[in-house]
Amino acid sequence: IIKPVTYLKKHSSQSNYSKFESGFIAQDIKNIPELKHVVHETTHDKNIPQKLSINYNSIQPYITKAIQELYHDISNIKQQLNS
């Protein structure tokens, strides 16, 4: 299960600029086989700690499908209750 989070994102290691953002933890998304392709490594230097980013546009179809499935399930339950 992935949980929405709010976090303080630093713009870069050389800057004091930072801002609050909402999203998901990339490590959590990376553990989901269907979604691991939307997580990208932003640091390729082995001397710098690994940083991951998420391509949120690529997650939208999966979210849409989940909402459609939930809507279908709710419709079926309503029909059963009304029968």
Side-chain angles (χ1 to χ4, degrees):
I1 294 180
I2 56 175
K3 299 177 193 172
V5 295
T6 300
Y7 54 92
L8 185 62
K9 180 179 181 180
K10 292 184 179 181
H11 184 64
S12 72
S13 58
Q14 293 84 23
S15 170
N16 290 333
Y17 171 77
S18 59
K19 65 178 179 175
F20 280 101
E21 288 194 358
S22 297
F24 303 108
I25 303 297
Q27 289 83 348
D28 293 344
I29 301 291
K30 195 174 180 180
N31 290 329
I32 300 171
E34 297 88 358
L35 296 179
K36 67 181 180 182
H37 69 280
V38 305
V39 177
H40 304 283
E41 205 173 310
T42 59
T43 308
H44 300 288
D45 185 343
K46 293 183 181 190
N47 297 322
I48 299 173
Q50 183 186 41
K51 292 184 181 181
L52 300 175
S53 67
I54 299 171
N55 180 346
Y56 285 97
N57 289 334
S58 296
I59 293 177
Q60 291 177 0
Y62 295 95
I63 293 171
T64 301
K65 182 180 178 194
I67 291 169
Q68 290 170 338
E69 289 173 357
L70 287 170
Y71 179 79
H72 179 42
D73 291 347
I74 291 169
S75 294
N76 286 341
I77 291 168
K78 283 182 177 180
Q79 276 184 333
Q80 290 174 1
L81 291 174
N82 292 330
S83 302

